[in-house]
Amino acid sequence: MSEGELKAVDGLSYNVKKGESVAIVGESACGKSVSALSIMRLIPYPPGIIVGGEIIFKGQDLLKVSETEMRHIRGNRIGMIFQEPMTSLNPVLTIELQLSETLQLHRGLDKNAAGEEASKLIKLVGIPDAAKRAKNYPHQFSGGMQQRIMIAMGLSCNPELLICDEPTTSVDVTVQAQLLEIIDNLRTQFGTAVILITHNLGIVARYVDRVNVMYAGKMMESAPTDVIYSEPRHPYTAGLLASVPRLDLPRKRKLQVIPGLPPNLARLVPGCPFFPRCKLAIEKCRQEMPQLEEIGPEHRVACYRSADVKELVRVD
Amino acid sequence: MAEDNVLVDVQGLTMYFPVTAGVFRRKVAEVRAVDDVSFQIKKGETFGLVGESGCGKTTTGRAILQLYRPTAGKVFFEKNDLCKIGGEELRRSRRNMQLIFQDPYASLDPRMTAGNIIGEPLRVHGLVKGSEFQEQVAELFKLVELEPRMADRFPHEFSGGQRQRIGIARALALRPKLIVCDEPVSALDVSIQAQIIMLLERLREELGLTYIFIAHDLSVVRYISDRVAVMYLGKIVEITGSDELYDNPMHPYTQGLLSAVPIPNPRVDRQRKRILLTGDVPSPVNPPPGCHFNPRCFAVKAGCKEAEPELKEVTKGHWVACHRA
Ligand SMILES: Nc1ncnc2c1ncn2[C@@H]1O[C@H](COP(=O)(O)OP(=O)(O)OP(=O)(O)O)[C@@H](O)[C@H]1O
Ligand SMILES: Nc1ncnc2c1ncn2[C@@H]1O[C@H](COP(=O)(O)OP(=O)(O)OP(=O)(O)O)[C@@H](O)[C@H]1O
Ligand SMILES: [Mg+2]
Ligand SMILES: [Mg+2]
């Protein structure tokens, strides 16, 4: 790597089946958004570049298709809900017009049909008084409502895959629950596959089938949801679980703190990036990044000490 | 009611903001940000305030500190009604009360060194002579687990968690009795949140502090607080001990709020009763008549649309404002 470059995402692999939801969990700047944008080939170049890898969508490598084809896939088969709703909504169009434009463009509906479909979508995402509110502009909605409109946009193409980048970070818990419920219903009703990006391990527990934990651009652990919570085998996953307050546990349980800070990606050293904060670190961890290894059914971990994680923390 | 160990006694605290229009900024309506709120905080206690965005948590905290002068009500701090005093007298009282902000990026002056930020309150109040300054600042750095040699650095050279430590050290400089922590961990990464929560806990024990802890994350508020008040549209709807809050929430809003928080353990989470609150919080300019929560309430009955329920002590120490309680 030349000077001034950073590996935002490094050697990440995972897969999503039809009708399945998987989570990408990790702290800020660990590469969650970059990995999602890569799937859509939306990494701004320069400065960003996908150096290697494959993104197989229904048997086709998205990194090899033409830009025209990719545009078609983006609009019609993969939907994305972005972190910041206002940056991706057009401020000068009413939400009905934005939706029906998209519908005309991507689904080839005529004006009337598109208008009807738009109202359906607006209702579907739970905007009360839908017929009237459809004539409003984005800024006339609360943050939670804007997120709902984003979801409606993401769904307008009937996607086979929906990528949600922290769809609920800026909204209240009650609204968050409503939004995630909507996304979950779509998955069960239409078999939409969902990639949910979040830093909140709690959300994940309720809404996804599989969890991928990232740290400093790398995949640390990947497992079915129940397994990741009951038997985390990476010290980082276990540490995260033990460091969050939990409603259901006795209040005076001491939180276990992960010491130190996440690394600066521009100054990564060889070895495991979690090594400086890890209680189980050994000399080898400093020298070489461990490979992701299968340690159980669909359970992969990148850690030399994964067998000893159980002793490190007890997660109830 | 006035017990000896009460540090803050809030009675009927009300804060309306004017909504103005036109060139003459004529008042056309009022935002009822905080509306007739009462509670007491004991010395050494952590009192939590939770509720959805815009329910009045920050305004309550600021009105207690007199950063906003309340529209009505009383705020007794060690038997002094802060709403009645001003000028020098208020300034002296304020030394005992400090604020920690949510955003460790916006709340620190980017042109000042960390040392000067932390030590500024000492200078402003004329509490130190030249040579003592460095020493006291170094003490404060150590108190929040920062290296005193970092005193010459500027805010942008620190991480989010470290900046929050700087904000905490600054708040501690005047040895206050009460600290209002307004969403002190919301902007931080998960692994850093635990660090700051444990730091605040340690400081409370060591320095005998009293906290008002504001956050929208119920798990965090319940963890750090001894008692929790749940706010909705400018009103307190329930006050109770933190364990009781999860074991026996009585207000339908509290029940909905708790249910919306997923528990990071799928096996436990699947077994919980699910209540999905619908709709959004209405505007505090025109709150719904009767119980403000009635349009979203799943247990609404006839009287709820007419009379506003009062906050009543239903069982010892457990206060609820609901016609069904
Ligand atoms: N356009 C860009 N130019 C340079 N660096 C970038 C760019 N976009 C992202 N990065 C860097 O790549 C890394 C990963 O960023 P990314 O946005 O994927 O993080 P994230 O996990 O989504 O974080 P968050 O939780 O804060 O959204 C970060 O170090 C970031 O600074
Ligand atoms: N200075 C002000 N002028 C006018 N209205 C205000 C002012 N400060 C707050 N408000 C309004 O008062 C209400 C309560 O706001 P407040 O900031 O106290 O809520 P909060 O519970 O702290 O919300 P959040 O969780 O978003 O921080 C809101 O409707 C807000 O828009
Ligand atoms: Mg991101
Ligand atoms: Mg606030």
Side-chain angles (χ1 to χ4, degrees):
Chain A
M1 238 173 36
S2 65
E3 205 180 317
E5 275 179 9
L6 64 81
K7 284 187 183 169
V9 174
D10 187 9
L12 192 71
S13 6
Y14 62 93
N15 59 60
V16 196
K17 302 186 189 81
K18 185 174 185 321
E20 189 185 42
S21 62
V22 307
I24 313 279
V25 185
E27 295 178 85
S28 63
C30 75
K32 304 183 296 296
S33 295
V34 169
S35 74
L37 292 170
S38 306
I39 299 177
M40 297 288 269
R41 272 183 37 193
L42 286 175
I43 298 289
Y45 170 79
I49 184 160
I50 299 175
V51 185
E54 293 175 315
I55 296 168
I56 311 291
F57 177 66
K58 295 199 131 180
Q60 191 178 22
D61 187 349
L62 296 186
L63 295 182
K64 297 216 176 86
V65 304
S66 70
E67 182 51 40
T68 328
E69 231 172 308
M70 193 60 218
R71 218 173 294 142
H72 176 83
I73 291 174
R74 252 180 243 138
N76 296 282
R77 301 175 65 192
I78 306 181
M80 181 146 178
I81 297 168
F82 295 89
Q83 216 163 342
E84 291 298 327
M86 274 316 274
T87 54
S88 27
L89 293 173
N90 185 338
V92 299
L93 284 184
T94 66
I95 62 163
E96 185 176 35
L97 273 178
Q98 305 200 24
L99 273 169
S100 76
E101 253 186 20
T102 316
L103 288 162
Q104 287 172 56
L105 191 72
H106 289 299
R107 297 224 332 241
L109 300 181
D110 67 34
K111 215 168 158 198
N112 282 336
E116 254 168 57
E117 186 66 22
S119 325
K120 246 194 245 157
L121 281 168
I122 294 169
K123 227 183 264 148
L124 182 75
V125 294
I127 292 178
D129 219 354
K132 217 165 84 198
R133 295 306 305 264
K135 308 272 187 276
N136 288 148
Y137 294 88
H139 73 266
Q140 293 170 294
F141 291 88
S142 69
M145 287 292 160
Q146 286 169 1
Q147 285 288 17
R148 279 172 224 240
I149 298 163
M150 277 300 303
I151 296 179
M153 297 285 285
L155 296 177
S156 60
C157 62
N158 278 340
E160 291 153 83
L161 170 65
L162 185 64
I163 305 173
C164 312
D165 191 356
E166 313 233 18
T168 59
T169 27
S170 53
V171 300
D172 280 310
V173 278
T174 56
V175 179
Q176 171 184 301
Q178 294 169 13
L179 295 175
L180 291 170
E181 232 28 72
I182 293 169
I183 294 173
D184 204 48
N185 284 341
L186 290 165
R187 181 173 67 88
T188 43
Q189 257 181 45
F190 305 111
T192 315
V194 177
I195 298 176
L196 189 64
I197 295 177
T198 174
H199 59 265
N200 184 327
L201 282 158
I203 295 182
V204 170
R206 194 177 277 181
Y207 294 99
V208 303
D209 304 315
R210 223 140 31 88
V211 179
N212 299 303
V213 180
M214 281 182 79
Y215 188 78
K218 296 191 172 75
M219 176 92 87
M220 293 294 172
E221 181 161 13
S222 169
T225 306
D226 279 12
V227 174
I228 211 125
Y229 289 91
S230 56
E231 287 167 67
R233 295 285 293 277
H234 196 287
Y236 177 60
T237 315
L240 273 185
L241 284 169
S243 71
V244 290
R246 266 176 51 176
L247 275 179
D248 60 320
L249 295 184
R251 209 165 61 78
K252 284 303 164 193
R253 173 185 71 120
K254 277 261 175 287
L255 299 182
Q256 297 192 30
V257 171
I258 304 176
L261 304 171
N264 180 339
L265 293 185
R267 277 190 240 130
L268 271 192
V269 284
C272 172
F274 188 59
F275 154 74
R277 305 175 75 187
C278 183
K279 286 182 195 150
L280 295 180
I282 49 175
E283 188 48 33
K284 201 171 167 195
C285 309
R286 186 209 298 272
Q287 288 155 2
E288 202 183 333
M289 174 69 193
Q291 297 290 312
L292 263 184
E293 260 179 78
E294 186 112 20
I295 55 153
E298 295 192 62
H299 192 171
R300 294 180 299 154
V301 181
C303 178
Y304 298 121
R305 302 287 316 266
S306 66
D308 306 314
V309 169
K310 253 183 240 142
E311 300 155 29
L312 178 70
V313 280
R314 212 179 69 79
V315 183
D316 309 65
Chain B
M1 269 261 249
E3 293 163 50
D4 275 349
N5 60 348
V6 170
L7 183 70
V8 186
D9 185 359
V10 177
Q11 299 179 4
L13 185 69
T14 300
M15 186 74 221
Y16 291 174
F17 294 106
V19 178
T20 55
V23 270
F24 298 109
R25 308 200 40 86
R26 195 165 40 86
K27 186 169 118 183
V28 291
E30 275 168 337
V31 181
R32 303 187 191 180
V34 176
D35 199 1
D36 192 11
V37 155
S38 305
F39 54 86
Q40 294 184 330
I41 304 171
K42 296 192 211 76
K43 284 196 183 100
E45 181 179 39
T46 299
F47 186 80
L49 273 182
V50 277
E52 286 169 284
S53 182
C55 70
K57 304 180 294 294
T58 296
T59 307
T60 303
R62 293 184 153 255
I64 288 173
L65 300 185
Q66 304 298 307
L67 297 170
Y68 295 142
R69 296 316 293 258
T71 310
K74 298 182 173 133
V75 177
F76 290 97
F77 184 84
E78 298 187 313
K79 314 265 173 335
N80 255 337
D81 185 356
L82 301 176
C83 304
K84 286 224 181 80
I85 59 174
E88 184 54 29
E89 205 184 349
L90 179 60
R91 209 173 80 102
R92 247 181 296 120
S93 285
R94 270 214 192 113
R95 257 168 44 188
N96 290 315
M97 307 175 283
Q98 294 295 320
L99 183 62
I100 298 170
F101 300 89
Q102 165 172 6
D103 191 342
Y105 297 86
S107 56
L108 306 178
D109 185 339
R111 291 155 309 182
M112 278 169 76
T113 63
N116 282 330
I117 289 172
I118 291 176
E120 190 186 36
L122 295 169
R123 283 219 176 98
V124 170
H125 285 265
L127 295 179
V128 282
K129 293 191 284 299
S131 61
E132 284 168 18
F133 184 77
Q134 300 299 344
E135 233 170 81
Q136 291 217 19
V137 167
E139 274 310 304
L140 286 163
F141 265 81
K142 280 187 238 157
L143 198 57
V144 296
E145 295 153 24
L146 286 175
E147 306 253 5
R149 63 180 168 78
M150 301 201 269
D152 294 334
R153 298 193 196 164
F154 290 90
H156 72 265
E157 296 174 78
F158 292 90
S159 71
Q162 288 173 326
R163 282 184 235 207
Q164 200 52 285
R165 288 175 196 271
I166 294 172
I168 294 170
R170 179 184 161 94
L172 292 173
L174 298 174
R175 312 234 153 243
K177 294 177 179 158
L178 173 73
I179 299 185
V180 174
C181 311
D182 192 355
E183 310 258 10
V185 300
S186 315
L188 304 176
D189 257 325
V190 181
S191 76
I192 309 301
Q193 286 193 5
Q195 295 178 1
I196 299 296
I197 291 171
M198 296 315 280
L199 172 68
L200 287 169
E201 281 276 285
R202 203 201 81 218
L203 292 171
R204 172 170 75 137
E205 275 166 33
E206 283 180 17
L207 306 175
L209 296 167
T210 303
Y211 291 146
I212 296 179
F213 192 95
I214 297 173
H216 59 264
D217 185 332
L218 257 165
S219 316
V220 170
V221 172
R222 171 178 172 272
Y223 180 81
I224 199 159
S225 309
D226 300 301
R227 286 188 304 140
V228 174
V230 180
M231 289 190 77
Y232 188 77
L233 267 184
K235 300 253 175 209
I236 288 180
V237 298
E238 185 158 4
I239 304 183
T240 187
S242 298
D243 287 322
E244 175 90 351
L245 182 80
Y246 179 72
D247 297 337
N248 183 28
M250 290 194 202
H251 198 286
Y253 178 62
T254 313
Q255 292 171 3
L257 207 56
L258 281 164
S259 172
V261 182
I263 284 173
N265 180 327
R267 272 181 292 218
V268 178
D269 196 57
R270 274 195 289 269
Q271 269 150 39
R272 295 166 75 210
K273 197 172 84 181
R274 295 285 287 278
I275 299 165
L276 198 62
L277 290 181
T278 50
D280 258 356
V281 184
S283 151
V285 176
N286 281 313
C291 170
H292 291 350
F293 185 59
N294 86 71
R296 293 176 81 193
C297 185
F298 52 87
V300 66
K301 58 174 191 179
C304 299
K305 291 188 169 65
E306 279 95 57
E308 220 177 276
E310 258 176 69
L311 191 65
K312 287 182 306 232
E313 191 166 16
V314 177
T315 55
K316 179 132 184 41
H318 195 155
W319 299 72
V320 188
C322 175
H323 291 306
R324 304 194 70 122

